Amino acid sequence: LPPAAMPASVQMALLPFGEAALRHFAFLERPEGLDMADQEGFAALAKARELPHDEADEIGPHLQDFETVGHLYRSIEDGFASLAERMGEDRLFIGPGKAQATSEHLGFDELTAVRDLPSARAAIDVIVEQGEGARGDWRDAHFGRLVRVLDEYLAIREAHPDFEPTRPVVLAHVRPLATGQDVALIGHGFTARSADLLNATYELILQLLARYFAHTDETPQQLQTLAEVAVGLMKLVVKPLGSLITRMPMGADHPDATAGPALELFYETDYLLPDRVAAWAIMEERLREIADLATRCRDECIPGFLPGISRIADALRYEAEALAAAR
């Protein structure tokens, strides 16, 4: 999403691992009420001024601001409670139970199906306790873990000032943005094709997940396949390919830099199709197109990247066959 979609006091950015990233992520994950200075350069942005609106007769949504991630989730919980009291739980939680993701498909034992106010609160508790604005002891939550990693990183840098744990990546796009925003473009042909291979896979994962959560007449086995293929693509394609790209050259304009994946989307909203047969046909077709691109990348590969690209091409074909078999 464009940065403007975030609350005014939160700035999101893809950063290389290091002190700036660790301090900023810890700032975003800090428990509500904990006073903590943000990393220089990521200080809270000046809050935008809202247009006047009549709250007594308001029908259009407007942006709200949240100081921490925990504040966001607490506000969601308060919103559930308020709406349940005003409307009744039977009118608030109207989604079909079969549309809920459970541990049966995604292998996450604490995944809670939300069907009423108590289950909605339980789901939020799981999220909050794991770290997005921890309640209680923050040391084992995301915030505490980030602080420990930062302490270890700073200790290593003090003992070994030349320690550099990251590659010289630049956040890189394959093509100019439609917004006209100035971005670094990849000038090396093979790197650009590899980045687009990642972009296409990322977009397909969103299509698979959208289908999983907004399906029509899929069988339980078909839902299982959607979840397994989506997670399989994350593990077997996005993770290894993203790592490979950070070793690939940017091109002549950035001779000493490697590419940092930007996870571009070709379209902003192309995830939903109402008919199961059509949706599955298009997802399988797209996955085979991506696998063909991976094969061409493998055949024209920069020496040294061939084993990784070959495994990625094989994984894409395997997942395409899994999708086809479940149709």
Side-chain angles (χ1 to χ4, degrees):
L1 294 177
M6 301 301 297
S9 62
V10 176
Q11 181 174 342
M12 302 296 291
L14 289 171
L15 295 174
F17 176 85
E19 183 178 354
L22 288 168
R23 288 191 183 279
H24 183 54
F25 297 157
F27 174 79
L28 295 176
E29 299 277 17
R30 72 195 188 280
E32 194 173 355
L34 180 65
D35 186 17
M36 180 179 174
D38 195 5
Q39 171 69 12
E40 184 179 359
F42 286 92
L45 303 176
K47 295 187 177 181
R49 187 184 300 275
E50 282 189 299
L51 292 173
H53 58 275
D54 184 358
E55 294 184 359
D57 196 23
E58 185 176 45
I59 196 168
H62 58 85
L63 290 177
Q64 301 179 59
D65 209 351
F66 303 98
E67 295 300 325
T68 66
V69 184
H71 183 196
L72 166 65
Y73 282 105
R74 183 170 57 78
S75 300
I76 293 173
E77 184 175 15
D78 290 344
F80 278 143
S82 175
L83 288 171
E85 181 179 358
R86 192 179 77 196
M87 302 169 58
E89 290 184 49
D90 58 332
R91 293 187 61 202
L92 176 60
F93 298 97
I94 59 175
K98 65 180 183 180
Q100 292 287 311
T102 66
S103 57
E104 178 185 1
H105 293 157
L106 295 175
F108 175 29
D109 291 340
E110 294 180 284
L111 195 58
T112 301
V114 175
R115 297 187 174 93
D116 50 27
L117 186 58
S119 60
R121 282 177 162 155
I124 291 174
D125 283 343
V126 170
I127 296 171
V128 171
E129 287 169 8
Q130 287 192 349
E132 283 91 345
R135 292 171 178 161
D137 190 353
W138 52 263
R139 290 167 180 80
D140 290 329
H142 292 176
F143 172 75
R145 295 180 183 184
L146 286 165
V147 171
R148 286 199 299 274
V149 174
L150 175 60
D151 289 343
E152 293 170 2
Y153 173 79
L154 294 176
I156 294 173
R157 286 299 295 264
E158 183 177 359
H160 305 281
D162 59 345
F163 171 67
E164 183 52 65
T166 62
R167 295 167 183 147
V169 297
V170 173
L171 181 60
H173 291 255
V174 177
R175 57 193 57 80
L177 299 184
T179 61
Q181 179 184 350
D182 187 28
V183 294
L185 297 179
I186 300 172
H188 190 283
F190 179 76
T191 305
R193 296 182 74 184
S194 298
D196 256 353
L197 178 62
L198 179 64
N199 294 334
T201 303
Y202 174 60
E203 187 168 58
L204 180 63
I205 289 172
L206 297 181
Q207 292 174 337
L208 290 162
L209 291 175
R211 187 70 200 174
Y212 177 86
F213 286 108
H215 60 270
T216 55
D217 58 342
E218 274 85 350
T219 66
Q221 182 55 47
Q222 287 172 327
L223 292 177
Q224 181 79 50
T225 298
L226 288 172
E228 289 178 350
V229 172
V231 174
L233 291 174
M234 294 178 198
K235 292 180 177 179
L236 302 176
V237 179
V238 170
K239 181 178 179 179
L241 183 56
S243 181
L244 284 177
I245 290 172
T246 64
R247 294 165 50 198
M248 295 181 184
M250 274 288 292
D253 290 343
H254 304 273
D256 299 321
T258 57
L263 298 177
E264 301 175 56
L265 294 177
F266 302 116
Y267 302 98
E268 290 189 3
T269 53
D270 67 335
Y271 310 132
L272 290 178
L273 285 171
D275 181 74
R276 177 183 58 80
V277 174
W280 280 68
I282 288 175
M283 290 186 298
E284 181 195 341
E285 176 185 275
R286 184 59 168 166
L287 186 47
R288 293 193 186 280
E289 288 178 345
I290 297 170
D292 288 342
L293 173 60
T295 299
R296 293 194 297 273
C297 287
R298 179 195 64 191
D299 294 342
E300 303 169 11
C301 193
I302 296 176
F305 295 117
L306 180 58
I309 294 293
S310 295
R311 286 192 293 270
I312 287 165
D314 291 342
L316 285 163
R317 295 203 177 279
Y318 174 84
E319 299 295 352
E321 293 300 328
L323 204 59
R327 284 177 58 186

